Amino acid sequence: IIHQPACQNIDCIDETGAGDCYRAAFAVGLTAINDGAGEDNIKRCMQFASAAGALATTRQGAVPSIPSKEEVIELCQVQFGWTKDENIDSSSNHNNGVDKDTTLRQLRGGDRTDQQYNVDEAEEEDFPLLFGSRLNSMKDRPELWEADDSTDSRSDMSNWIHRMGTIRGLGCVDFNYPQHFHKHFVSNAEAKKTLYKQNLVAGAVCLRYPSSLFVRGAMMHPDPALRQKAIDLTMEAAQTARELDCNEVVIWSAYDGYDYPFQINYDENWQHLIDAFQQCCDAYPDIKFSLEFKPTDENTRFFCVPSTGAALLFVNEVNRS
């Protein structure tokens, strides 16, 4: 366990976004390491992250409170004794010696070419990661639409994708399944073509089990037939991801949980989840199935995988790579 004390004597005004700044700064520091993730390097990343999170509390808001790298380094000098020569610089080391094309294929969104970015070539050289957004985010702020402002236009998925294509730097789209398909696109090939027209790629397909069928549970539904229907729907999402050239299905098990202790048979329902994930992984070994972890949800007070420890145990018992 590596312990890093927090920054001291910080004039805290608003804590919103402090944790996000900490995690982002830690990731920035970690990508800059070129001599291994040893304890000293991890501690240095934690110091950088701690300073970023502390500075975020000194200003109002979430995004407006994000500090600059220079501000973070200056606070590290004051709080942790960094010298003026010490720095966090990931601009020349973002791939750590790994071939750039290989790295890009390992990121969300599967294989890509430079032409499939919504980013200038010079910017892409400096920053190989993709900024992505859920397609659902495009339904907000209709007054900012540049195209047809009719209600029908704003509910059309093709127009949502077109709107995403107008955002400079955005390159990756996450779809909801099945809500963003079927009646909106004739086929997955049409959805893929619509993406490519806007220089976008699919990042992931995100399961949204319809409440009309699964309000009592999806992979944990008491009815075996409906449990299988949820698994089948998950595999349909995996096939969609494959046809969109992305390799991730994000499973939000909104209804797989319980409201009160001892309301369900824990062991039985845990095994239902294990069996379901194994079935999906076996059918689609090229697809990564991610669990959208939420300790609590508006639909269920307690999720069936309620902690990081339980999630690690879950992955171990699914036992698929």
Side-chain angles (χ1 to χ4, degrees):
I1 298 175
I2 303 173
H3 175 68
Q4 172 57 48
C7 292
Q8 303 298 314
N9 302 317
I10 300 297
D11 185 15
C12 179
I13 296 175
D14 182 3
E15 299 171 355
T16 304
D20 295 320
C21 276
Y22 183 99
R23 288 188 288 271
F26 184 85
V28 168
L30 201 60
T31 58
I33 293 173
N34 58 11
D35 58 348
E39 182 172 335
D40 290 343
N41 286 328
I42 294 297
K43 192 171 183 66
R44 181 178 170 80
C45 293
M46 293 169 70
Q47 291 173 348
F48 186 73
S50 180
L55 285 169
T57 69
T58 64
R59 304 163 188 163
Q60 291 283 354
V63 175
S65 68
I66 299 173
S68 68
K69 186 176 73 171
E70 290 72 25
E71 289 175 313
V72 176
I73 291 173
E74 184 177 344
L75 185 58
C76 285
Q77 293 170 354
V78 174
Q79 293 278 340
F80 309 119
W82 284 27
T83 67
K84 291 186 177 180
D85 295 331
E86 291 185 275
N87 196 356
I88 290 288
D89 185 7
S90 59
S91 62
S92 61
N93 189 47
H94 53 246
N95 282 334
N96 291 330
V98 179
D99 175 71
K100 182 178 115 179
D101 290 336
T102 301
T103 303
L104 290 175
R105 283 193 293 272
Q106 292 171 346
L107 300 173
R108 292 186 65 189
D111 200 2
R112 308 180 178 91
T113 64
D114 289 343
Q115 287 72 34
Q116 291 171 336
Y117 286 98
N118 222 22
V119 184
D120 293 340
E121 183 177 352
E123 293 176 347
E124 188 273 326
E125 287 296 324
D126 290 335
F127 193 77
L129 304 179
L130 287 183
F131 281 105
S133 176
R134 289 278 178 89
L135 186 57
N136 260 10
S137 63
M138 294 299 105
K139 67 183 179 182
D140 295 325
R141 300 297 302 274
E143 70 275 13
L144 299 180
W145 277 59
E146 297 179 0
D148 180 7
D149 197 34
S150 67
T151 302
D152 289 342
S153 174
R154 294 201 304 267
S155 63
D156 184 88
M157 297 299 110
S158 296
N159 287 331
W160 289 15
I161 292 173
H162 172 77
R163 192 183 188 193
M164 294 188 88
T166 66
I167 301 172
R168 184 172 178 271
L170 191 67
C172 183
V173 180
D174 284 0
F175 290 91
N176 285 355
Y177 191 89
Q179 289 79 4
H180 293 160
F181 294 91
H182 304 318
K183 67 178 182 179
H184 298 289
F185 297 106
V186 174
S187 65
N188 294 332
E190 183 192 4
K192 181 179 176 181
K193 184 177 180 181
T194 305
L195 286 173
Y196 280 15
K197 282 182 178 180
Q198 301 301 327
N199 293 323
L200 298 168
V201 295
V205 176
C206 307
L207 253 297
R208 293 294 182 265
Y209 298 104
S211 60
S212 57
L213 287 175
F214 301 111
V215 71
R216 294 184 63 196
M219 294 176 174
M220 284 174 46
H221 199 287
D223 184 341
L226 284 174
R227 283 203 304 273
Q228 187 59 49
K229 193 173 186 67
I231 294 170
D232 293 341
L233 188 65
T234 306
M235 290 194 285
E236 288 176 16
Q239 181 62 34
T240 297
R242 181 185 283 173
E243 293 178 10
L244 292 177
D245 285 342
C246 65
N247 63 353
E248 184 173 9
V249 169
V250 181
I251 297 174
W252 176 39
S253 299
Y255 308 107
D256 283 337
Y258 52 96
D259 293 319
Y260 305 101
F262 309 113
Q263 181 182 351
I264 64 171
N265 185 320
Y266 301 134
D267 291 342
E268 180 181 83
N269 283 279
W270 177 266
Q271 192 59 50
H272 288 331
L273 274 184
I274 298 294
D275 294 342
F277 268 76
Q278 287 178 339
Q279 186 174 336
C280 293
C281 291
D282 289 342
Y284 289 88
D286 56 317
I287 299 295
K288 177 171 65 176
F289 292 92
S290 300
L291 189 63
E292 185 173 339
F293 173 74
K294 294 183 179 180
T296 61
D297 195 271
E298 64 267 23
N299 301 297
T300 52
R301 190 176 298 176
F302 303 106
F303 182 40
C304 54
V305 185
S307 67
T308 303
L312 292 173
L313 179 63
F314 181 75
V315 171
N316 186 60
E317 292 194 17
V318 171
N319 195 26
R320 299 292 189 272
S321 60

